[in-house]
């Protein structure tokens, strides 16, 4: 299938083009601001499907709204008809098409042109009225307020919020692309004149102040190590978007390594819901641990070296030993009510990844000294 994508270099277009390639589509005609009239004539003569994503939303002159949204749409449709190449068209419109401003009028006119084309040519069309879109490759101060917030907060640039209680509707770009690919692959038909309904569960309504605070918390997570709630779909997608705006000289950040004569202990990530992960280094011959927990539980994974992990149930004299090695990765559960230790049996440093089901609380450590 040969696919024409207008606005291929834009936020939505770029995401679509790369994911079309991921899905195995090889013949993609990319129409951008650098393309010529002849390019568009060629593309509309040879394509099998049109994703019409090009448009204008922040022009210097209001008349550019009609030129970039309505006029370009009509040109694409006209060329398809002139070339005798009547193919399905998907139009990316906006919820603002329901408003009476210049932008809304231009998007509504583009919608009407596509519906007319569908009725006259008896060909499927797909018209989406999207809310604000967010995700990777969006542009600050242009595509979306989320792009601006992410870009500025990542660089310690102030952001402006006139009304933190204002609620905005949002959709994530990867969810949009998934819908596009589904239409392409299934060829579903929509009655002429009807809009494609974007799944309501994939539209997020959030307050501007809430969004700004979440993004600020993402920046702070490099210091407090608290990972966002990945069980919250919006927060997960917002965090992915924030990371895409990190300055390229600031992808990494240091961790605090606690060292002594035995080795080191470094906390890596923390979560409010699922505890924390740390990296433990023990020098040869060193024993660490020698304690037990009431409710706190852990998992040990030796990734380098050889170790003996010893257990003794409180009140018992029997010692249980597990010999583990970084050459044969296996997870050892640390049950509650067992005092335990880990001994470096090798001649090199022992490196162990440790997970605890709760973030360490110095006021309630739930850790009690007891030799195995």
């Amino acid at each position: 299938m040969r696919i024409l994508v207008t606005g291929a270099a834009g936020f939505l277009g770029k995401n679509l083009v790369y994911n079309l390639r991921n899905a195995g589509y090889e013949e993609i005609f990319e129409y951008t601001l650098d393309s010529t009239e002849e390019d568009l004539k060629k593309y509309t003569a040879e394509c099998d499907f049109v994703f019409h994503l090009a448009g204008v939303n922040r022009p210097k002159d209001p008349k550019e709204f009609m030129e970039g949204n309505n006029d370009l749409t009509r040109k694409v449709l006209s060329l398809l008809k002139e070339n005798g190449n009547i193919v399905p068209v998907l139009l990316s419109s906006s919820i603002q098409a329901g408003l009476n401003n210049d932008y809304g009028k231009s998007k509504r006119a583009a919608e009407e042109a596509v519906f007319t084309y569908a009725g006259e040519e008896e060909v499927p069309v797909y018209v989406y009225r999207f809310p604000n879109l967010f995700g990777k490759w969006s542009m600050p101060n242009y595509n979306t307020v989320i792009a601006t917030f992410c870009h500025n907060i990542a660089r310690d640039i102030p952001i402006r919020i006139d009304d933190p209680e204002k609620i905005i509707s949002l959709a994530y770009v990867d969810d949009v692309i998934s819908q596009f690919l589904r239409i392409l692959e299934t060829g579903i038909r929509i009655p002429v004149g009807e809009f494609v309904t974007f799944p309501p569960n994939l539209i997020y309504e959030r307050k501007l102040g809430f969004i700004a605070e979440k993004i600020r918390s993402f920046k702070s997570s490099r210091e407090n190590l608290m990972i966002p709630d990945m069980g919250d779909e919006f927060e997960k997608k917002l965090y992915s978007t924030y990371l895409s705006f990190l300055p390229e000289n600031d992808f990494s950040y240091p961790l605090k390594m606690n060292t002594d004569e035995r080795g080191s202990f470094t906390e890596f990530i923390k979560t409010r819901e699922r505890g924390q992960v740390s990296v433990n280094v023990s020098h040869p011959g060193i024993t660490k641990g020698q304690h037990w927990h009431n409710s706190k539980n852990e998992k040990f994974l030796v990734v380098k070296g050889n170790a003996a992990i010893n257990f003794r149930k409180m009140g018992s004299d029997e010692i249980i030993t597990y010999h583990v090695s970084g050459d044969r990765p296996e997870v050892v559960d640390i049950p509650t009510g067992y005092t335990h230790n880990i001994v470096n049996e090798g001649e090199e440093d022992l490196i162990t990844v440790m997970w605890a089901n709760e973030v360490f609380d110095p006021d309630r450590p739930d850790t009690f000294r007891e030799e195995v």
Side-chain angles (χ1 to χ4, degrees), residues 291-363:
H291 58 238
W292 64 282
H293 313 290
N294 279 313
S295 298
K296 179 187 293 185
N297 53 86
E298 301 166 300
K299 294 179 184 290
F300 289 1
L301 171 63
V302 169
V303 295
K304 181 183 178 183
N306 297 284
I309 302 177
N310 301 299
F311 300 88
R312 178 173 60 80
K313 193 173 188 177
M314 297 302 294
S316 170
D317 294 328
E318 180 185 1
I319 296 176
I320 304 164
T321 300
Y322 283 78
H323 295 279
V324 293
S325 169
D327 295 331
R328 302 181 306 278
E330 59 183 300
V331 176
V332 179
D333 275 315
I334 311 299
T336 56
Y338 284 81
T339 185
H340 53 276
N341 64 28
I342 181 167
V343 182
N344 186 347
E345 295 185 305
E347 297 181 354
E348 60 180 353
D349 279 351
L350 174 70
I351 302 177
T352 308
V353 177
M354 297 180 171
W355 171 82
N357 71 317
E358 58 188 39
V359 174
F360 179 72
D361 181 354
D363 295 326

Side-chain angles (χ1 to χ4, degrees), residues 150 154-155 222 241-252:
C150 289
R155 291 161 177 77
R222 289 178 154 210
T241 303
Y242 171 75
L243 291 179
S244 75
F245 280 92
L246 289 176
E248 293 185 354
N249 63 350
D250 196 31
F251 287 178
S252 68

Side-chain angles (χ1 to χ4, degrees), residues 173-211:
V173 69
D174 287 3
D175 293 332
V176 172
I177 299 304
S178 293
Q179 292 291 308
F180 286 0
L181 293 178
R182 176 174 169 268
I183 282 178
L184 195 61
E185 291 162 5
T186 63
I188 60 174
R189 297 183 73 100
I190 304 296
V192 175
E194 291 189 14
F195 298 98
V196 186
T197 301
F198 194 73
N201 64 307
L202 296 179
I203 295 177
Y204 306 98
E205 295 190 344
R206 299 292 187 276
K207 295 179 180 179
L208 279 175
F210 171 85
I211 293 170

